[in-house]
């Protein structure tokens, strides 16, 4: 590996490779099997910064969300195999790939340096705003957890928590450290970030805040060593201080709680973003940078107990659900779909708004039903594009019968309802001058299809108002037909009047009599025919 690449990888290796390992167990074989089983005309290259377990979780999510076959490469192996990464990416770009995906900061930095025309979709990058990327053709999903999430959880621990500290020494950690200053007052906290010349001065700073600190936030600082972390951990435990971190492994090592992004969900979001670019629905520069909104909560109850921290029962339950979710993801990855589905359903019974569980329940059902739901969705979209909304609704309904949780089908069904309702309303508009009664029927159909279509309601009321002055003439003509025993014509005219004024009593009575007379004549004719 060349020297410059080592410099890129080193900080990441310290924080992820040394301290943060093994959050959810993934089988490389099962990932490869799942990826290779996807049928698509497109083959998209994905470059992983390393074989870290959290990157493999993201990879699993990418292959779940992306409708294309993946060709997976690892940065260290690629660097060893290629004499020049610049030449490699130049040759790659000459083949005009529709999109290129990277996972992690090192892979993203390398690809961004050498790709100039190809849309670059990155994933699992912290502080993406600070990325020094020259190309405007890059977009992706970050992996930051806002300090606000931690402050909100702190307030759930106790209303008495006041003083929160964070310690950092590198410029890259300053962004995360500074963020807390924007949210502390919102949660009635007092937050202070402390910049250290180096972590060698950590002990003196800890002694300074002793007796004042209620909580300490462990930042993602490349210069933070395991020894420094353990010093903070021991200090927190002895002084009844809540210790927070983004990294699940640090929670196990000795922290009160952690909030981490759902790495698999980040992958799913990345895959879907790449899909939109592949399908030419959008451009990378329009997608920009997105941040995750689904998180996992990790709790070390033993550490909290030794620290003298009381953990509320609802936070204990939250941690259990996060652990249960990770178990479900592991089962899904292992191909144990029935068990995974049961777990996600159990989570949703306790927390119906859990979007991560909802998303993975959907993925599990899709795995169980094979390509059936995707084929139905494809047909529904085709009918929708052709404006055959009744058939589109039917196909979306079939999908929802298989899995009611598929948001795309729910959204599509509603869109088809609106499309059909608008189609009927516009037909009514076109009939107003030539056949106002048929126009009213179309407006009524539009309202029945979608009762919330205010435009259809307005058109219906307007046309009825314009036709109301003519009801007297219509009624006179209908009564004349009735008196002349032209009951079929009378019924037609009376029904038209009731389209204009549904509560018109005289028209309703004459309609009842006309139907009765017509039925009597029909019976008489049948008797005479015998």
């Amino acid at each position: 590996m060349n020297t410059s690449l080592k410099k890129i990888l080193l900080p990441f290796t310290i924080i992820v490779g040394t301290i943060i390992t093994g959050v959810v167990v993934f089988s490389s074989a099962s990932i490869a099997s799942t990826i290779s089983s996807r049928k698509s005309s497109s083959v998209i290259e994905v470059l992983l910064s390393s074989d870290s377990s959290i990157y493999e979780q993201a990879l699993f999510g990418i292959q779940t969300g992306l409708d294309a076959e993946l060709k997976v490469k690892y940065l260290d192996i690629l660097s060893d195999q290629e004499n020049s990464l610049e030449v490699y990416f130049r040759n790659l770009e000459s083949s005009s790939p529709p999109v290129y995906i990277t996972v992690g900061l090192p892979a993203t930095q390398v690809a961004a340096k050498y790709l100039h025309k190809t849309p670059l979709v990155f994933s699992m990058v912290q502080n993406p705003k600070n990325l020094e990327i020259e190309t405007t053709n890059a977009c992706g999903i970050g992996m930051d957890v806002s300090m606000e999430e931690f402050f909100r959880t702190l307030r759930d621990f106790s209303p008495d928590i006041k003083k929160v500290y964070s310690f950092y020494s590198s410029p890259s950690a300053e962004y995360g450290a500074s963020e807390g200053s924007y949210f502390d007052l919102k949660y009635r906290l007092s937050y202070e970030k402390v910049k250290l010349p180096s972590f060698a001065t950590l002990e003196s700073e800890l002694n300074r805040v002793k007796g004042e600190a209620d909580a300490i936030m462990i930042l993602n600082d490349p210069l933070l060593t395991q020894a420094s972390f353990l010093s903070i951990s021991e200090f927190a435990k002895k002084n009844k201080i809540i210790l927070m971190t983004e990294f699940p492994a640090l929670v196990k090592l000795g922290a009160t709680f952690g909030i981490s992004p759902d790495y698999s969900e980040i992958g799913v979001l990345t895959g879907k973003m790449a899909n939109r670019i592949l399908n030419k629905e959008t451009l990378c520069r329009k997608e920009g940078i997105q941040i995750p909104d689904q998180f996992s909560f990790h709790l070390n109850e033993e550490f909290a107990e030794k620290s003298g921290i009381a953990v509320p029962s609802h936070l204990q339950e939250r941690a259990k659900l996060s652990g249960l979710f990770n178990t479900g993801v592991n089962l899904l990855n292992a191909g144990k779909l029935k068990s995974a589905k049961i777990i996600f359903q159990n989570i949703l019974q306790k927390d119906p708004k859990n979007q991560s569980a909802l998303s993975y329940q959907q993925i599990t059902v899709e795995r169980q039903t094979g390509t059936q739901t995707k084929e139905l969705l494809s047909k529904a979209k085709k009918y929708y594009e052709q404006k055959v909304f009744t058939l589109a609704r039917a196909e979306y309904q079939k999908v929802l019968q298989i899995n009611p949780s598929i948001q795309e089908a729910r959204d599509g069904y509603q869109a088809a309802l609106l499309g059909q309702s608008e189609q009927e309303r516009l037909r009514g508009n076109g009939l107003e001058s030539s056949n106002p009664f048929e126009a009213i029927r179309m407006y009524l159909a539009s309202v029945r299809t979608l009762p919330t279509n205010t435009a259809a309601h307005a058109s219906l009321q307007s046309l009825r108002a314009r036709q109301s002055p003519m009801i007297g003439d219509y009624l006179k003509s209908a009564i004349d037909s009735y008196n002349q025993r032209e009951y079929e014509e009378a019924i037609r005219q009376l029904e038209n009047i009731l389209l204009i004024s549904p509560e018109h009593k005289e028209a309703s009575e004459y309609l009842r009599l006309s139907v009765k007379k017509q039925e009597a004549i029909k019976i008489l004719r049948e008797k005479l025919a015998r």
Side-chain angles (χ1 to χ4, degrees):
M1 186 184 301
N2 59 54
T3 304
S4 61
L5 189 56
K6 285 182 179 178
K7 289 180 180 178
I8 293 173
L9 287 173
L10 182 58
F12 188 84
T13 304
I14 291 173
I15 195 67
V16 176
T18 305
I19 302 179
I20 320 295
T21 56
V23 181
V24 178
V25 179
F26 271 75
S27 161
S28 299
S30 66
I31 291 177
S33 172
T34 309
I35 293 172
S36 62
S37 66
R38 186 180 292 275
K39 296 181 180 179
S40 172
S41 58
S42 299
V43 179
I44 305 302
E45 185 165 311
V46 181
L47 182 63
L48 272 68
S49 295
S50 71
D51 61 355
S52 164
S53 63
I54 64 173
Y55 288 162
E56 291 200 345
Q57 289 178 63
L59 177 62
F60 178 73
I62 290 171
Q63 64 87 23
T64 298
L66 183 65
D67 295 330
E69 185 179 343
L70 298 185
K71 182 179 181 181
V72 180
K73 290 183 177 291
Y74 292 87
L75 183 56
D76 55 347
I77 297 175
L78 183 66
S79 301
D80 290 338
Q81 290 176 341
E82 300 294 329
N83 294 326
S84 168
L85 288 177
E86 182 177 4
V87 173
Y88 174 81
F89 280 103
R90 187 190 306 141
N91 292 336
L92 176 76
E93 198 156 52
S94 67
S95 66
S96 301
V99 69
Y100 192 83
I101 300 175
T102 57
V103 180
L105 176 61
T108 301
Q109 288 176 319
V110 170
K113 181 178 180 181
Y114 297 121
L115 290 177
H116 305 293
K117 297 181 296 182
T118 304
L120 171 60
V121 178
F122 60 80
S123 185
M124 298 285 286
V125 173
Q126 285 198 310
N127 299 341
K129 284 182 68 175
N130 293 341
L131 274 176
E132 295 181 359
I133 295 180
E134 295 181 4
T135 177
T136 59
N137 215 17
C139 55
I141 314 295
M143 61 177 294
D144 298 288
V145 180
S146 172
M147 193 75 82
E148 184 175 14
E149 292 292 330
F150 290 93
F151 288 173
R152 184 184 293 117
T153 304
L154 269 182
R155 189 49 66 212
D156 285 342
F157 263 90
S158 170
D160 299 326
I161 294 172
K162 184 65 177 177
K163 193 67 178 178
V164 184
Y165 288 90
S166 68
F167 303 96
Y168 71 100
S169 64
S170 66
S172 64
E174 188 166 6
Y175 173 81
S178 300
E179 189 193 15
S181 302
Y182 298 100
F183 295 111
D184 57 345
L185 295 181
K186 179 179 178 180
Y187 294 94
R188 305 187 308 281
L189 299 169
S190 175
Y191 170 75
E192 181 180 337
K193 60 177 183 177
V194 180
K195 185 173 183 179
L196 306 174
S198 72
F199 274 95
T201 61
L202 175 64
E203 186 176 352
S204 62
E205 286 295 334
L206 289 176
N207 289 330
R208 181 180 68 83
V209 304
K210 185 176 181 179
E212 294 183 7
D214 296 309
I216 294 176
M217 176 67 192
I218 298 293
L219 299 168
N220 179 21
D221 193 321
L223 300 182
L224 175 67
T225 64
Q226 184 166 330
S228 297
F229 169 76
L230 291 175
S231 295
I232 300 173
S233 175
E234 190 64 24
F235 174 80
K237 185 166 59 177
K238 288 180 178 179
N239 292 280
K240 202 176 180 180
I241 295 171
I242 294 176
L243 190 58
M244 311 175 287
T245 174
E246 285 187 43
F247 303 107
L250 292 186
V251 177
K252 293 181 181 179
L253 198 58
T256 314
F257 75 88
I259 301 175
S260 65
D262 179 349
Y263 304 121
S264 298
E265 182 65 17
I266 289 177
V268 172
L269 293 174
T270 305
K272 289 182 177 179
M273 180 181 285
N275 266 343
R276 292 192 291 273
I277 295 170
L278 276 171
N279 296 332
K280 302 187 185 304
E281 297 172 14
T282 184
L283 298 172
C284 216
R285 64 174 178 270
K286 292 183 179 180
E287 288 285 340
I289 298 172
Q290 299 177 20
I291 57 174
D293 58 2
Q294 302 299 321
F295 306 102
S296 295
F297 179 70
H298 313 272
L299 178 66
N300 188 330
E301 293 188 60
E302 182 182 355
F303 183 86
E305 184 179 354
K306 290 180 179 179
S307 304
I309 304 295
V311 181
S313 58
H314 69 279
L315 290 179
Q316 294 175 355
E317 182 64 21
R318 180 180 168 188
K320 288 177 183 177
L321 289 180
S322 284
L324 195 60
F325 174 78
N326 286 339
T327 300
V329 173
N330 282 332
L331 289 169
L332 175 61
N333 177 53
K336 298 178 180 179
L337 304 180
K338 186 176 180 180
S339 299
K341 182 181 177 183
I342 291 171
I343 284 181
F344 295 134
Q345 286 175 336
N346 287 340
I347 294 172
L348 290 169
Q349 285 176 357
K350 297 177 181 178
D351 182 10
K353 295 182 180 180
N354 191 312
Q355 292 300 314
S356 293
L358 194 62
S359 174
Y360 274 86
Q361 182 198 43
Q362 175 180 330
I363 291 169
T364 305
V365 173
E366 286 177 357
R367 291 278 194 276
Q368 288 178 316
T369 57
T371 60
Q372 185 180 4
T373 54
K374 289 194 174 183
E375 289 173 355
L376 290 172
L377 282 171
S378 178
K379 286 176 67 176
K381 289 177 185 176
K382 183 178 179 181
Y383 286 135
Y384 183 86
E385 290 168 358
Q386 295 172 346
K387 300 187 184 304
V388 187
F389 298 116
T390 52
L391 293 180
R393 284 174 59 191
E395 296 303 314
Y396 281 125
Q397 189 64 44
K398 290 177 185 177
V399 175
L400 292 171
Q401 287 172 353
I402 296 172
N403 183 3
S405 302
I406 297 180
Q407 191 62 43
E408 183 180 359
R410 292 159 74 177
D411 292 342
Y413 184 80
Q414 289 301 317
L417 275 179
L418 176 59
Q420 182 178 337
S421 180
E422 278 295 278
Q423 197 174 62
E424 291 161 343
R425 182 182 70 83
L426 292 173
R427 285 176 185 167
N429 285 348
L431 289 167
E432 280 198 7
S433 57
S434 61
N435 192 339
F437 304 113
E438 190 60 29
I440 291 175
R441 288 188 178 91
M442 293 311 303
Y443 291 144
L444 288 170
S446 176
V447 170
R448 281 195 299 271
T449 300
L450 188 65
T452 57
N453 190 331
T454 55
H457 279 287
S459 295
L460 176 62
Q461 291 172 4
S462 175
L463 182 54
R464 278 175 166 171
R466 296 197 304 274
Q467 287 290 315
S468 289
M470 291 178 269
I471 286 179
D473 293 336
Y474 294 149
L475 182 61
K476 182 178 181 302
S477 177
I479 292 173
D480 287 344
S481 296
Y482 176 82
N483 290 333
Q484 294 171 19
R485 298 184 180 182
E486 296 174 356
Y487 299 119
E488 187 172 343
E489 177 62 18
I491 290 171
R492 185 187 68 79
Q493 292 175 327
L494 292 165
E495 286 178 342
N496 286 343
I497 293 171
L498 292 172
L499 285 172
I500 302 169
S501 178
E503 305 298 325
H504 198 287
K505 291 183 178 180
E506 194 172 0
S508 296
E509 179 60 19
Y510 268 103
L511 178 61
R512 184 186 69 81
L513 293 172
S514 297
V515 171
K516 187 176 181 180
K517 295 277 188 180
Q518 187 183 50
E519 187 64 27
I521 291 173
K522 181 181 178 182
I523 293 172
L524 179 61
R525 286 175 177 171
E526 288 176 352
K527 287 182 178 179
L528 292 174
R530 291 174 186 171

